[in-house]
Amino acid sequence: MNVKEQTKILKVHLHSLKQKFEKGEKPENPKDKALFSQVKKETTPVFQLLEQWERDVLQLIKTRKVNIHPQQIISTRENMELLLMHSYYLDVRRKRYMELNHSVLYIFDQLQTELD
């Protein structure tokens, strides 16, 4: 799978995470093992895709195929990982969540533009 497809899939995940955050209710017990298992099961494929995406994009940057700073890609991965957790545990203010969301979306959009 190429970077363009990976980015498209990650954008879909980003959108669904935002919906989960906005519609979700804070878990009664954040230390509940069933909740942890569910979150792990649902987020593991996204974490893996994100890791692959980061490696692939950094390789594109090395070969100068895209003009984005490597630190932006690393930060985007970290921010997306934070969003993954915040979407399930609802442990951050809406304003902060939206800042992270917009930051990630901006880089995804910029990358897609560069690849077109």
Side-chain angles (χ1 to χ4, degrees), residues 39-68:
V39 170
K40 185 172 181 174
K41 183 178 145 203
E42 291 178 19
T43 60
T44 298
V46 183
F47 276 111
Q48 291 170 344
L49 176 60
L50 203 50
E51 187 179 331
Q52 183 64 46
W53 174 84
E54 181 187 39
R55 273 196 308 268
D56 293 349
V57 174
L58 289 174
Q59 189 57 45
L60 285 178
I61 291 170
K62 275 184 187 169
T63 59
R64 300 190 184 271
K65 288 191 169 69
V66 290
N67 189 22
I68 297 175

mmCIF file of all heavy atoms in Angstrom, residues 39-68:
data_model
loop_
_atom_site.group_PDB
_atom_site.id
_atom_site.type_symbol
_atom_site.label_atom_id
_atom_site.label_comp_id
_atom_site.label_asym_id
_atom_site.label_seq_id
_atom_site.Cartn_x
_atom_site.Cartn_y
_atom_site.Cartn_z
ATOM 1 N N VAL A 39 -10.556 -1.346 23.413
ATOM 2 C CA VAL A 39 -9.765 -0.248 22.852
ATOM 3 C C VAL A 39 -8.535 -0.801 22.143
ATOM 4 O O VAL A 39 -8.210 -0.401 21.025
ATOM 5 C CB VAL A 39 -9.360 0.763 23.950
ATOM 6 C CG1 VAL A 39 -8.344 1.764 23.428
ATOM 7 C CG2 VAL A 39 -10.594 1.477 24.488
ATOM 8 N N LYS A 40 -7.866 -1.753 22.782
ATOM 9 C CA LYS A 40 -6.658 -2.337 22.186
ATOM 10 C C LYS A 40 -6.983 -3.025 20.862
ATOM 11 O O LYS A 40 -6.276 -2.856 19.871
ATOM 12 C CB LYS A 40 -6.027 -3.324 23.161
ATOM 13 C CG LYS A 40 -4.717 -3.866 22.662
ATOM 14 C CD LYS A 40 -4.003 -4.698 23.695
ATOM 15 C CE LYS A 40 -2.695 -5.172 23.098
ATOM 16 N NZ LYS A 40 -1.863 -5.872 24.030
ATOM 17 N N LYS A 41 -8.086 -3.779 20.855
ATOM 18 C CA LYS A 41 -8.489 -4.505 19.644
ATOM 19 C C LYS A 41 -8.810 -3.535 18.502
ATOM 20 O O LYS A 41 -8.420 -3.758 17.356
ATOM 21 C CB LYS A 41 -9.704 -5.378 19.974
ATOM 22 C CG LYS A 41 -10.169 -6.241 18.829
ATOM 23 C CD LYS A 41 -11.342 -7.094 19.268
ATOM 24 C CE LYS A 41 -12.280 -7.256 18.110
ATOM 25 N NZ LYS A 41 -13.626 -7.576 18.469
ATOM 26 N N GLU A 42 -9.512 -2.451 18.822
ATOM 27 C CA GLU A 42 -9.925 -1.500 17.790
ATOM 28 C C GLU A 42 -8.790 -0.592 17.320
ATOM 29 O O GLU A 42 -8.790 -0.153 16.172
ATOM 30 C CB GLU A 42 -11.091 -0.640 18.305
ATOM 31 C CG GLU A 42 -12.372 -1.426 18.480
ATOM 32 C CD GLU A 42 -13.516 -0.591 19.033
ATOM 33 O OE1 GLU A 42 -13.440 0.667 18.955
ATOM 34 O OE2 GLU A 42 -14.484 -1.178 19.536
ATOM 35 N N THR A 43 -7.837 -0.302 18.203
ATOM 36 C CA THR A 43 -6.796 0.672 17.842
ATOM 37 C C THR A 43 -5.502 0.054 17.316
ATOM 38 O O THR A 43 -4.743 0.739 16.628
ATOM 39 C CB THR A 43 -6.440 1.579 19.040
ATOM 40 O OG1 THR A 43 -5.964 0.778 20.121
ATOM 41 C CG2 THR A 43 -7.641 2.403 19.476
ATOM 42 N N THR A 44 -5.246 -1.208 17.604
ATOM 43 C CA THR A 44 -3.991 -1.831 17.170
ATOM 44 C C THR A 44 -3.755 -1.714 15.657
ATOM 45 O O THR A 44 -2.663 -1.317 15.242
ATOM 46 C CB THR A 44 -3.912 -3.295 17.649
ATOM 47 O OG1 THR A 44 -3.921 -3.303 19.075
ATOM 48 C CG2 THR A 44 -2.661 -3.977 17.153
ATOM 49 N N PRO A 45 -4.756 -2.005 14.811
ATOM 50 C CA PRO A 45 -4.503 -1.860 13.360
ATOM 51 C C PRO A 45 -4.173 -0.413 12.964
ATOM 52 O O PRO A 45 -3.356 -0.186 12.073
ATOM 53 C CB PRO A 45 -5.814 -2.305 12.707
ATOM 54 C CG PRO A 45 -6.569 -3.032 13.753
ATOM 55 C CD PRO A 45 -6.080 -2.550 15.075
ATOM 56 N N VAL A 46 -4.781 0.549 13.646
ATOM 57 C CA VAL A 46 -4.514 1.956 13.321
ATOM 58 C C VAL A 46 -3.091 2.331 13.745
ATOM 59 O O VAL A 46 -2.373 3.000 13.008
ATOM 60 C CB VAL A 46 -5.555 2.894 13.977
ATOM 61 C CG1 VAL A 46 -5.301 4.341 13.564
ATOM 62 C CG2 VAL A 46 -6.968 2.479 13.610
ATOM 63 N N PHE A 47 -2.691 1.873 14.936
ATOM 64 C CA PHE A 47 -1.318 2.126 15.391
ATOM 65 C C PHE A 47 -0.307 1.530 14.416
ATOM 66 O O PHE A 47 0.701 2.158 14.094
ATOM 67 C CB PHE A 47 -1.082 1.539 16.795
ATOM 68 C CG PHE A 47 -1.528 2.429 17.920
ATOM 69 C CD1 PHE A 47 -2.615 2.090 18.700
ATOM 70 C CD2 PHE A 47 -0.851 3.608 18.214
ATOM 71 C CE1 PHE A 47 -3.023 2.900 19.756
ATOM 72 C CE2 PHE A 47 -1.255 4.429 19.261
ATOM 73 C CZ PHE A 47 -2.343 4.072 20.030
ATOM 74 N N GLN A 48 -0.579 0.328 13.945
ATOM 75 C CA GLN A 48 0.331 -0.330 13.001
ATOM 76 C C GLN A 48 0.390 0.427 11.676
ATOM 77 O O GLN A 48 1.468 0.629 11.108
ATOM 78 C CB GLN A 48 -0.092 -1.786 12.786
ATOM 79 C CG GLN A 48 0.134 -2.646 14.008
ATOM 80 C CD GLN A 48 -0.506 -4.016 13.891
ATOM 81 O OE1 GLN A 48 -1.362 -4.268 13.046
ATOM 82 N NE2 GLN A 48 -0.083 -4.926 14.771
ATOM 83 N N LEU A 49 -0.767 0.847 11.178
ATOM 84 C CA LEU A 49 -0.810 1.613 9.932
ATOM 85 C C LEU A 49 -0.063 2.937 10.100
ATOM 86 O O LEU A 49 0.687 3.348 9.216
ATOM 87 C CB LEU A 49 -2.260 1.868 9.510
ATOM 88 C CG LEU A 49 -2.460 2.730 8.273
ATOM 89 C CD1 LEU A 49 -1.793 2.111 7.046
ATOM 90 C CD2 LEU A 49 -3.945 2.951 8.012
ATOM 91 N N LEU A 50 -0.256 3.567 11.229
ATOM 92 C CA LEU A 50 0.403 4.839 11.517
ATOM 93 C C LEU A 50 1.924 4.689 11.549
ATOM 94 O O LEU A 50 2.652 5.530 11.006
ATOM 95 C CB LEU A 50 -0.105 5.359 12.862
ATOM 96 C CG LEU A 50 -0.021 6.829 13.188
ATOM 97 C CD1 LEU A 50 -0.585 7.677 12.066
ATOM 98 C CD2 LEU A 50 -0.754 7.098 14.481
ATOM 99 N N GLU A 51 2.379 3.611 12.143
ATOM 100 C CA GLU A 51 3.820 3.332 12.202
ATOM 101 C C GLU A 51 4.386 3.132 10.798
ATOM 102 O O GLU A 51 5.425 3.697 10.446
ATOM 103 C CB GLU A 51 4.047 2.076 13.048
ATOM 104 C CG GLU A 51 5.480 1.765 13.332
ATOM 105 C CD GLU A 51 5.640 0.517 14.184
ATOM 106 O OE1 GLU A 51 4.738 0.211 14.989
ATOM 107 O OE2 GLU A 51 6.663 -0.151 14.017
ATOM 108 N N GLN A 52 3.676 2.361 9.971
ATOM 109 C CA GLN A 52 4.106 2.121 8.590
ATOM 110 C C GLN A 52 4.079 3.417 7.785
ATOM 111 O O GLN A 52 4.993 3.715 7.018
ATOM 112 C CB GLN A 52 3.202 1.065 7.936
ATOM 113 C CG GLN A 52 3.613 0.699 6.523
ATOM 114 C CD GLN A 52 4.983 0.043 6.478
ATOM 115 O OE1 GLN A 52 5.274 -0.841 7.264
ATOM 116 N NE2 GLN A 52 5.832 0.493 5.568
ATOM 117 N N TRP A 53 3.015 4.202 7.985
ATOM 118 C CA TRP A 53 2.868 5.481 7.297
ATOM 119 C C TRP A 53 4.059 6.391 7.602
ATOM 120 O O TRP A 53 4.643 6.993 6.705
ATOM 121 C CB TRP A 53 1.547 6.136 7.725
ATOM 122 C CG TRP A 53 1.332 7.518 7.208
ATOM 123 C CD1 TRP A 53 0.826 7.869 5.990
ATOM 124 C CD2 TRP A 53 1.619 8.745 7.898
ATOM 125 N NE1 TRP A 53 0.777 9.243 5.890
ATOM 126 C CE2 TRP A 53 1.250 9.800 7.041
ATOM 127 C CE3 TRP A 53 2.125 9.055 9.154
ATOM 128 C CZ2 TRP A 53 1.381 11.129 7.401
ATOM 129 C CZ3 TRP A 53 2.270 10.386 9.517
ATOM 130 C CH2 TRP A 53 1.900 11.412 8.642
ATOM 131 N N GLU A 54 4.407 6.487 8.887
ATOM 132 C CA GLU A 54 5.529 7.340 9.282
ATOM 133 C C GLU A 54 6.822 6.901 8.594
ATOM 134 O O GLU A 54 7.545 7.730 8.031
ATOM 135 C CB GLU A 54 5.715 7.309 10.801
ATOM 136 C CG GLU A 54 6.862 8.196 11.263
ATOM 137 C CD GLU A 54 7.155 8.049 12.745
ATOM 138 O OE1 GLU A 54 7.099 6.914 13.267
ATOM 139 O OE2 GLU A 54 7.459 9.065 13.371
ATOM 140 N N ARG A 55 7.113 5.609 8.611
ATOM 141 C CA ARG A 55 8.328 5.100 7.953
ATOM 142 C C ARG A 55 8.328 5.441 6.463
ATOM 143 O O ARG A 55 9.331 5.907 5.912
ATOM 144 C CB ARG A 55 8.437 3.576 8.128
ATOM 145 C CG ARG A 55 9.111 3.143 9.398
ATOM 146 C CD ARG A 55 9.552 1.698 9.352
ATOM 147 N NE ARG A 55 8.508 0.766 8.970
ATOM 148 C CZ ARG A 55 7.707 0.137 9.834
ATOM 149 N NH1 ARG A 55 7.844 0.319 11.114
ATOM 150 N NH2 ARG A 55 6.780 -0.686 9.403
ATOM 151 N N ASP A 56 7.195 5.197 5.817
ATOM 152 C CA ASP A 56 7.102 5.431 4.368
ATOM 153 C C ASP A 56 7.245 6.912 4.007
ATOM 154 O O ASP A 56 7.928 7.262 3.042
ATOM 155 C CB ASP A 56 5.784 4.877 3.819
ATOM 156 C CG ASP A 56 5.713 3.357 3.893
ATOM 157 O OD1 ASP A 56 6.753 2.713 4.175
ATOM 158 O OD2 ASP A 56 4.614 2.810 3.689
ATOM 159 N N VAL A 57 6.602 7.773 4.782
ATOM 160 C CA VAL A 57 6.678 9.207 4.482
ATOM 161 C C VAL A 57 8.091 9.725 4.740
ATOM 162 O O VAL A 57 8.624 10.503 3.935
ATOM 163 C CB VAL A 57 5.636 10.014 5.306
ATOM 164 C CG1 VAL A 57 5.829 11.501 5.077
ATOM 165 C CG2 VAL A 57 4.221 9.605 4.945
ATOM 166 N N LEU A 58 8.706 9.287 5.822
ATOM 167 C CA LEU A 58 10.079 9.729 6.094
ATOM 168 C C LEU A 58 11.025 9.286 4.979
ATOM 169 O O LEU A 58 11.962 10.011 4.630
ATOM 170 C CB LEU A 58 10.554 9.215 7.460
ATOM 171 C CG LEU A 58 9.882 9.879 8.677
ATOM 172 C CD1 LEU A 58 10.328 9.201 9.965
ATOM 173 C CD2 LEU A 58 10.143 11.374 8.727
ATOM 174 N N GLN A 59 10.747 8.133 4.401
ATOM 175 C CA GLN A 59 11.551 7.667 3.260
ATOM 176 C C GLN A 59 11.329 8.574 2.049
ATOM 177 O O GLN A 59 12.281 8.906 1.329
ATOM 178 C CB GLN A 59 11.197 6.210 2.921
ATOM 179 C CG GLN A 59 12.116 5.575 1.907
ATOM 180 C CD GLN A 59 13.587 5.598 2.336
ATOM 181 O OE1 GLN A 59 13.924 5.301 3.469
ATOM 182 N NE2 GLN A 59 14.457 5.971 1.422
ATOM 183 N N LEU A 60 10.083 8.989 1.823
ATOM 184 C CA LEU A 60 9.795 9.912 0.714
ATOM 185 C C LEU A 60 10.509 11.243 0.925
ATOM 186 O O LEU A 60 10.990 11.860 -0.033
ATOM 187 C CB LEU A 60 8.289 10.152 0.602
ATOM 188 C CG LEU A 60 7.441 9.042 0.003
ATOM 189 C CD1 LEU A 60 5.966 9.437 0.031
ATOM 190 C CD2 LEU A 60 7.876 8.727 -1.417
ATOM 191 N N ILE A 61 10.556 11.678 2.168
ATOM 192 C CA ILE A 61 11.228 12.942 2.475
ATOM 193 C C ILE A 61 12.728 12.824 2.195
ATOM 194 O O ILE A 61 13.330 13.731 1.624
ATOM 195 C CB ILE A 61 10.964 13.353 3.948
ATOM 196 C CG1 ILE A 61 9.482 13.735 4.117
ATOM 197 C CG2 ILE A 61 11.868 14.508 4.363
ATOM 198 C CD1 ILE A 61 9.050 13.912 5.545
ATOM 199 N N LYS A 62 13.305 11.688 2.583
ATOM 200 C CA LYS A 62 14.740 11.465 2.329
ATOM 201 C C LYS A 62 15.063 11.530 0.840
ATOM 202 O O LYS A 62 16.101 12.038 0.438
ATOM 203 C CB LYS A 62 15.173 10.100 2.864
ATOM 204 C CG LYS A 62 15.537 10.096 4.312
ATOM 205 C CD LYS A 62 16.043 8.722 4.710
ATOM 206 C CE LYS A 62 16.247 8.650 6.202
ATOM 207 N NZ LYS A 62 16.493 7.283 6.656
ATOM 208 N N THR A 63 14.176 10.987 0.032
ATOM 209 C CA THR A 63 14.405 10.982 -1.419
ATOM 210 C C THR A 63 13.873 12.252 -2.089
ATOM 211 O O THR A 63 13.818 12.336 -3.310
ATOM 212 C CB THR A 63 13.756 9.737 -2.066
ATOM 213 O OG1 THR A 63 12.348 9.751 -1.792
ATOM 214 C CG2 THR A 63 14.385 8.460 -1.551
ATOM 215 N N ARG A 64 13.439 13.197 -1.256
ATOM 216 C CA ARG A 64 12.957 14.517 -1.709
ATOM 217 C C ARG A 64 11.748 14.443 -2.646
ATOM 218 O O ARG A 64 11.595 15.252 -3.555
ATOM 219 C CB ARG A 64 14.087 15.314 -2.344
ATOM 220 C CG ARG A 64 15.238 15.559 -1.404
ATOM 221 C CD ARG A 64 16.216 16.550 -1.985
ATOM 222 N NE ARG A 64 17.376 16.716 -1.133
ATOM 223 C CZ ARG A 64 17.464 17.611 -0.147
ATOM 224 N NH1 ARG A 64 16.464 18.405 0.116
ATOM 225 N NH2 ARG A 64 18.578 17.701 0.574
ATOM 226 N N LYS A 65 10.911 13.460 -2.424
ATOM 227 C CA LYS A 65 9.686 13.355 -3.232
ATOM 228 C C LYS A 65 8.563 14.222 -2.663
ATOM 229 O O LYS A 65 7.613 14.549 -3.369
ATOM 230 C CB LYS A 65 9.246 11.896 -3.327
ATOM 231 C CG LYS A 65 10.165 11.071 -4.216
ATOM 232 C CD LYS A 65 9.572 9.719 -4.519
ATOM 233 C CE LYS A 65 10.303 8.978 -5.591
ATOM 234 N NZ LYS A 65 11.623 8.515 -5.245
ATOM 235 N N VAL A 66 8.661 14.534 -1.376
ATOM 236 C CA VAL A 66 7.703 15.453 -0.749
ATOM 237 C C VAL A 66 8.480 16.493 0.040
ATOM 238 O O VAL A 66 9.557 16.217 0.556
ATOM 239 C CB VAL A 66 6.679 14.735 0.175
ATOM 240 C CG1 VAL A 66 5.707 13.908 -0.619
ATOM 241 C CG2 VAL A 66 7.348 13.907 1.238
ATOM 242 N N ASN A 67 7.908 17.681 0.123
ATOM 243 C CA ASN A 67 8.594 18.784 0.782
ATOM 244 C C ASN A 67 7.900 19.098 2.111
ATOM 245 O O ASN A 67 7.236 20.116 2.251
ATOM 246 C CB ASN A 67 8.598 20.007 -0.144
ATOM 247 C CG ASN A 67 9.483 21.105 0.380
ATOM 248 O OD1 ASN A 67 10.385 20.854 1.168
ATOM 249 N ND2 ASN A 67 9.209 22.317 -0.046
ATOM 250 N N ILE A 68 8.064 18.195 3.066
ATOM 251 C CA ILE A 68 7.514 18.368 4.410
ATOM 252 C C ILE A 68 8.660 18.070 5.367
ATOM 253 O O ILE A 68 9.477 17.187 5.119
ATOM 254 C CB ILE A 68 6.331 17.401 4.662
ATOM 255 C CG1 ILE A 68 5.192 17.717 3.697
ATOM 256 C CG2 ILE A 68 5.840 17.493 6.098
ATOM 257 C CD1 ILE A 68 4.027 16.764 3.782
#
